[in-house]
Amino acid sequence: MSDEPNPAPTHSAGPTDIRDDLVRQEIKRAAVWIGMAGLAALAVYLAHPLLVIFGGFVFAMLIDGGQRLLGRVLPIRRTWRIAVVLLLTVAFLVWVVEFAGSQIMTQAAEMPPLVTAQAQRALDWASAHGLTMGRSDVSGLLKELLGGVSQVTQALGGLFGGVTTLLIMVILGIYFVLEPDMYQRGLAWMLPAESREYFHGTTHRMGRTLRMLLAGRMLGMVIEGVCTWIALAVYGVPMAALLGLLTGLLVFLPNIGAPISGILMILVGFSGGTAMGIYCIIVYVVVQTVDGNVIVPMVAKRTADLAPALVLGAQLIFGVLFGILGLALADPLVVMLKIALERQAEHNTRRDEATG
């Protein structure tokens, strides 16, 4: 006889075999929750790359909206319309760099000390009239304000200099807009067959709403930026070009951008005297009134109806978590999330009606 032990029969239970149905069900539930927690942790870890990809998608929607608008007057192939939109964008950026680049950068360097000096004058005036405020509080407020301006100007400089993140977003946007159906089919292929029609309908509504939202943002940026620039330049307000450019860029940040640009405009205006400061206040009120009563309602009729408090809260959260990139993309993210929830609610209603 052999001294080696006999092997265990293949049909015997092993240490990983679970025969109890209740235990097996609980293990499956635990695995689902652990997987969801792992995906959430992975999403947080990869938040910046995911935002860059989403930024590329937003840029693709901008290009697609431009080529659709161009298609109404220029009946050529879609690829050629995209090329025309991209060439016009590059030409505009080159014009800005060549025509006003050095002037704007010089003004950007001069603005922080000017704003600080004007804020100190406002503090002295308030103290003379019995309104006391701690100097540390004022200095902290100035640091926050100038920090926000610094982020905007750094982002602008990065756009002109070709920062890697923005370059990746542009390249991704071009890829997305050239072959949108290919990427949509690829995502739909990973879903169950019965869910693909629902997915296509949701993405179609998301794309249309996002294009209209971005079109409204671009329209507001152009109108507010150009009108502010012209109005300030006519009166001889210092740094009119920079203030107009900052006003136009900050329009992309609803609820937050307008007060920041208004404070900067008024502080710079009072550096030239009381009359110039009052004129800057009038310019700010007129421009914001036109934007709030003409542009915003016109865009709101065709886009998602978002509550201002919801957008502001999302901007604060994404701004703290992801900086200027999260702040800029908070509005489109909220729009897409709202549409996804609305589509799911509609789907649930139809299912309930079908089942009685």
Side-chain angles (χ1 to χ4, degrees):
M1 293 180 64
S2 174
D3 295 334
E4 296 182 0
N6 293 327
T10 57
H11 61 273
S12 61
T16 59
D17 291 329
I18 301 174
R19 297 299 181 90
D20 193 321
D21 293 336
L22 179 61
V23 175
R24 186 180 302 173
Q25 185 177 5
E26 293 300 325
I27 289 177
K28 289 181 179 180
R29 291 179 178 177
V32 170
W33 284 106
I34 292 174
M36 292 180 63
L39 289 176
L42 184 63
V44 172
Y45 181 74
L46 299 176
H48 184 73
L50 291 175
L51 276 179
V52 172
I53 295 173
F54 182 73
F57 174 73
V58 172
F59 182 70
M61 290 295 100
L62 280 173
I63 301 174
D64 187 57
Q67 69 85 18
R68 287 170 182 265
L69 185 62
L70 189 62
R72 297 181 179 181
V73 296
L74 193 61
I76 58 177
R77 293 180 57 185
R78 182 177 183 273
T79 306
W80 289 110
R81 294 199 301 267
I82 292 174
V84 171
V85 172
L86 291 175
L87 288 175
L88 291 176
T89 303
V90 172
F92 172 75
L93 294 177
V94 171
W95 174 82
V96 171
V97 172
E98 292 292 334
F99 179 74
S102 60
Q103 177 186 3
I104 290 174
M105 292 307 169
T106 302
Q107 293 178 0
E110 296 174 354
M111 178 173 282
L114 177 61
V115 172
T116 304
Q118 290 303 110
Q120 185 61 48
R121 287 181 57 186
L123 176 62
D124 296 338
W125 179 87
S127 300
H129 289 76
L131 300 175
T132 58
M133 182 180 295
R135 191 173 298 272
S136 60
D137 297 334
V138 176
S139 62
L141 179 62
L142 288 175
K143 286 181 180 179
E144 292 292 333
L145 179 61
L146 294 177
V149 177
S150 176
Q151 286 183 337
V152 173
T153 53
Q154 286 176 4
L156 179 63
L159 178 62
F160 293 153
V163 172
T164 304
T165 299
L166 293 175
L167 183 60
I168 293 175
M169 289 170 58
V170 170
I171 294 174
L172 285 172
I174 294 174
Y175 284 151
F176 290 154
V177 77
L178 286 177
E179 294 288 344
D181 294 335
M182 179 179 68
Y183 298 102
Q184 187 174 353
R185 288 196 306 268
L187 290 175
W189 177 78
M190 294 186 291
L191 299 175
E194 63 272 11
S195 301
R196 293 173 185 174
E197 183 179 356
Y198 168 80
F199 171 77
H200 288 301
T202 302
T203 54
H204 174 74
R205 185 181 297 185
M206 284 181 174
R208 182 180 181 278
T209 305
L210 190 57
R211 283 194 301 269
M212 296 303 302
L213 176 69
L214 294 175
R217 291 284 185 269
M218 294 297 294
L219 180 63
M221 291 171 67
V222 172
I223 292 177
E224 290 198 28
V226 172
C227 291
T228 301
W229 186 350
I230 294 174
L232 297 181
V234 167
Y235 197 83
V237 177
M239 306 178 188
L242 178 61
L243 289 173
L245 186 59
L246 287 176
T247 300
L249 290 175
L250 290 171
V251 172
F252 200 81
L253 308 177
N255 304 320
I256 295 178
I260 295 177
S261 63
I263 292 173
L264 294 174
M265 188 188 309
I266 293 170
L267 288 176
V268 173
F270 276 103
S271 67
T274 304
M276 183 178 291
I278 295 175
Y279 177 79
C280 289
I281 294 176
I282 295 174
V283 170
Y284 172 75
V285 171
V286 171
V287 171
Q288 293 302 320
T289 300
V290 172
D291 180 69
N293 294 301
V294 178
I295 300 175
V296 172
M298 180 178 64
V299 175
K301 291 180 180 179
R302 298 173 178 245
T303 58
D305 186 15
L306 295 178
L310 177 63
V311 177
L312 180 58
Q315 288 175 335
L316 293 176
I317 294 173
F318 281 96
V320 171
L321 292 177
F322 311 117
I324 188 67
L325 184 60
L327 186 64
L329 297 178
D331 200 16
L333 279 171
V334 171
V335 169
M336 297 189 68
L337 180 61
K338 182 176 183 291
I339 293 174
L341 295 176
E342 289 176 348
R343 284 279 297 172
Q344 185 61 44
E346 295 172 1
H347 176 71
N348 294 338
T349 302
R350 289 195 299 267
R351 182 186 60 190
D352 294 341
E353 292 176 351
T355 58

